[in-house]
Amino acid sequence: MKVVVCKDYDEMSQKAFEVMKEVVTSKPGVVLGLATGSSPVGLYKCMIKDHEENGTSYKDVVTYNLDEYVGIDRSNPQSYYTFMKENLFDHIDIDPNNTHVPYGSTKEDCEGYEKELEKVSIDLQLLGIGRNGHIGFNEPGTPFDEMTHIVDLTQSTIEANARFFDNDMNKVPKQAITMGIGTIMKSKKVLMVVSGPEKAEAVKATVEGPVTTDMPASVLQNHPDVTLVVDQAAASLLSK
Ligand code: F6R
């Protein structure tokens, strides 16, 4: 795993953007796996700025998002579908037909998304990490070979996400549809962005801890091409 330590969130976003741009411009029809949450917003801003200023085009780029809440409509302002439109898709020249965000609550919905994913090969999968080490919504205990599935969110994740729901935990959906760890591990390259002291323990366990389902992100030690871009606060517990 390649670890790039940056001084702050802005530098983390810029460094991650450099990795992203290299992949996006490497060939036509690049396939990206995308994430939501606070961590990638700065990177998405860099992509939009670069598109506006340098004309980097996304018209042939295809995207698949990691996850979505169950039980809220796509038009809900808190849906990950809306998040992606507002934070990226509406500001670049991507074809909306080439963007995919999982949706639904049934086994068939999960299998349908996985079937779509089987037709492509993700060139770069972008990830954030939860305080408990989750990737996508694969919470601790998720088997490493699981594909797209429905999950019950843990209390820690519900608390962390309450900030997007008027700080009211009761408003946070209790389930999500997510790519599995097996799905994520099939991608050719993984780019993880992490910032803030509250993520420091998860970062240490991901990079230096044992590979265990108790810490889902530790599975990335088994992936051949991972770049972890992390700010100093999140890197503070790393031993080197
Ligand atoms: C989002 C996702 C989650 C987040 C994680 C960190 O699509 O898959 O795993 O990456 O919860 O969220 P933030 O970046 O908001 O701290």
Side-chain angles (χ1 to χ4, degrees):
M1 202 181 298
K2 182 176 170 199
V3 181
V4 181
V5 180
C6 304
K7 72 174 187 306
D8 56 17
Y9 181 88
D10 288 345
E11 192 177 294
M12 173 198 81
S13 302
Q14 181 58 38
K15 285 270 178 265
F17 165 68
E18 286 164 20
V19 177
M20 173 66 79
K21 181 160 177 176
E22 202 178 314
V23 173
V24 166
T25 56
S26 63
K27 60 173 186 191
V30 158
V31 183
L32 301 176
L34 296 179
T36 57
S38 310
S39 308
V41 169
L43 161 61
Y44 293 157
K45 286 199 169 110
C46 293
M47 290 163 73
I48 294 165
K49 187 166 183 274
D50 171 64
H51 166 70
E52 288 168 355
E53 291 178 0
N54 305 317
T56 301
S57 177
Y58 292 82
K59 80 179 159 43
D60 297 324
V61 170
V62 179
T63 66
Y64 288 85
N65 263 76
L66 279 168
D67 44 17
E68 176 62 284
Y69 290 119
V70 165
I72 62 175
D73 216 61
R74 284 200 146 153
S75 59
N76 186 305
Q78 302 310 335
S79 76
Y80 285 174
Y81 179 86
T82 301
F83 177 100
M84 288 311 300
K85 277 171 66 66
E86 288 178 349
N87 287 284
L88 185 64
F89 298 154
D90 284 354
H91 309 283
I92 55 176
D93 63 342
I94 196 158
D95 178 348
N97 294 322
N98 287 345
T99 67
H100 307 81
V101 179
Y103 188 71
S105 58
T106 66
K107 201 164 163 272
E108 289 70 36
D109 294 326
C110 297
E111 286 168 1
Y113 198 60
E114 201 59 49
K115 277 224 167 67
E116 284 295 310
L117 284 161
E118 271 165 19
K119 292 184 205 149
V120 297
S121 174
I122 292 184
D123 293 296
L124 180 148
Q125 176 64 57
L126 177 63
L127 296 176
I129 186 174
R131 292 176 210 180
N132 62 3
H134 71 222
I135 48 176
F137 271 129
N138 294 284
E139 302 282 18
T142 310
F144 285 161
D145 58 359
E146 196 137 41
M147 308 311 271
T148 300
H149 62 289
I150 304 292
V151 285
D152 294 327
L153 303 187
T154 62
Q155 194 57 23
S156 135
T157 301
I158 291 169
E159 280 166 24
N161 289 8
R163 68 193 194 280
F164 301 115
F165 292 87
D166 306 326
N167 285 314
D168 182 352
M169 285 198 299
N170 296 320
K171 290 189 185 165
V172 183
K174 305 294 178 283
Q175 286 191 314
I177 179 169
T178 183
M179 278 188 201
I181 291 177
T183 326
I184 292 169
M185 289 295 279
K186 284 201 305 186
S187 59
K188 291 185 199 150
K189 186 180 187 70
V190 173
L191 171 63
M192 179 181 262
V193 281
V194 194
S195 69
E198 69 282 4
K199 303 279 180 73
E201 279 185 23
V203 167
K204 184 177 174 60
T206 297
V207 180
E208 296 172 1
V211 176
T212 161
T213 55
D214 293 342
M215 179 50 62
S218 65
V219 74
L220 298 175
Q221 290 179 30
N222 293 341
H223 191 286
D225 187 355
V226 178
T227 303
L228 173 58
V229 188
V230 58
D231 77 352
Q232 267 166 8
S236 60
L237 297 178
L238 289 177
S239 50
K240 31 195 162 24

